[in-house]
Amino acid sequence: MDEKTNTSGVGVLDKAALVLSALEAGPATLAQLVSSTELARPTAHRLAVALEFHRFVARDMQGRFILGPRLAELSSAAGEDRLLTFAKPVLVALRDHTHESSQLYRRQGDQRVCVAAAERQMGLRDSIPVGATLSMKAGSAAQVLLAWEEPDRLHRGLYGAAFNATMLSAVRRRGWAQSIAERETGVASVSAPVRGPKGKVLASLSISGPVERMGRQPGRQHGPSVVAAANRLSDFLRRAEEQDHSQG
């Protein structure tokens, strides 16, 4: 490693950046952090715990280190993430149209993170705070984030999941996913993919609420609305990139 070009000269910050870069690939145990960063075990542990204190790092249900919610908050505050900027009005409009809470999820390793949300104002609702880390093994958003993956990654993601390959095939065919009490008892959800300008699935746009209100087939009622909202967000991203190219 060329020390002049790959370090800032502030050792502790450079090492913290190594930890965060390692976690970009997904959840990691302390041993995996040590291996990927080549830091001494006590150093890697001390930095990870300190970053956790400041919410730049968090833990998943297995106790592994993952990127924390503070990063999404700073990105949103800086206004540099177009997906989040364009998502806000779309989430509010979807909430107001369906009368259910709406969320935007991104995949992070074998977890998904809520990066934006618009909560239902009154009555029973499924509250998912921004920064919350949820499983990729259950829920309609997980189905959407997995359905268009490369075959090898898709099949690995199905191990231990509440859904199967046939269900994901149906998701690809109709363009939306639904779940009934997959992630949490009594909660239903409907999700659709948000795509980048080149067609890659970047995120899942979702609504969620109690099964007693959304019903046992929530996709029949809400699928078209969620797909339309996700397509609108995808169009915003495509037009923004086209504008960049035209100005360039």
Side-chain angles (χ1 to χ4, degrees):
M1 181 180 288
D2 184 342
E3 218 170 280
K4 291 183 179 178
T5 59
N6 290 281
T7 65
S8 68
V10 182
V12 67
L13 289 181
D14 292 333
K15 291 171 183 175
L18 282 175
V19 171
L20 294 173
S21 295
L23 294 178
E24 187 178 2
T29 63
L30 178 58
Q32 290 168 332
L33 272 184
V34 170
S35 175
S36 58
T37 63
E38 298 183 355
L39 295 171
R41 186 181 180 91
T43 301
H45 182 261
R46 185 172 69 252
L47 287 170
V49 170
L51 288 166
E52 183 181 11
F53 176 83
H54 290 288
R55 300 172 61 246
F56 290 104
V57 166
R59 307 274 189 132
D60 66 9
M61 289 182 291
Q62 287 76 46
R64 296 172 298 180
F65 295 105
I66 59 173
L67 292 176
R70 187 65 182 136
L71 295 169
E73 294 166 2
L74 288 173
S75 175
S76 178
E80 295 174 353
D81 192 322
R82 278 180 170 165
L83 176 63
L84 298 184
T85 300
F86 291 139
K88 291 175 183 177
V90 173
L91 286 165
V92 170
L94 182 60
R95 177 200 64 194
D96 292 346
H97 178 72
T98 63
H99 305 294
E100 301 295 350
S101 297
S102 60
Q103 305 90 25
L104 185 71
Y105 294 97
R106 277 175 165 164
R107 183 170 184 174
Q108 182 182 302
D110 60 0
Q111 305 285 327
R112 55 187 166 102
V113 180
C114 178
V115 295
E119 293 291 347
R120 191 173 191 267
Q121 298 301 311
M122 298 176 64
L124 289 173
R125 60 183 183 269
D126 181 37
S127 295
I128 307 293
V130 172
T133 302
L134 303 178
S135 172
M136 276 293 293
K137 301 298 184 183
S140 63
Q143 294 178 40
V144 163
L145 292 171
L146 191 61
W148 282 272
E149 286 280 15
E150 295 294 327
D152 287 349
R153 196 174 187 194
L154 186 154
H155 289 297
R156 285 198 303 272
L158 286 173
Y159 182 77
F163 43 81
N164 56 38
T166 300
M167 294 169 67
L168 294 190
S169 178
V171 170
R172 291 191 296 274
R173 184 176 65 251
R174 68 194 178 206
W176 52 263
Q178 68 177 8
S179 70
I180 300 92
E182 271 187 17
R183 174 179 60 82
E184 184 177 340
T185 302
V187 174
S189 66
V190 181
S191 299
V194 176
R195 298 179 182 275
K198 296 181 181 178
K200 180 178 174 59
V201 175
L202 301 179
S204 173
L205 188 66
S206 309
I207 60 169
S208 60
V211 174
E212 63 188 59
R213 189 170 60 231
M214 293 186 67
R216 304 299 300 183
Q217 291 291 332
R220 289 182 181 176
Q221 179 180 357
H222 297 298
S225 298
V226 178
V227 169
N231 288 345
R232 193 176 310 122
L233 182 49
S234 300
D235 286 343
F236 287 153
L237 295 171
R238 177 180 54 79
R239 290 172 188 166
E241 179 155 300
E242 289 174 353
Q243 186 175 11
D244 285 347
H245 288 163
S246 66
Q247 291 175 348

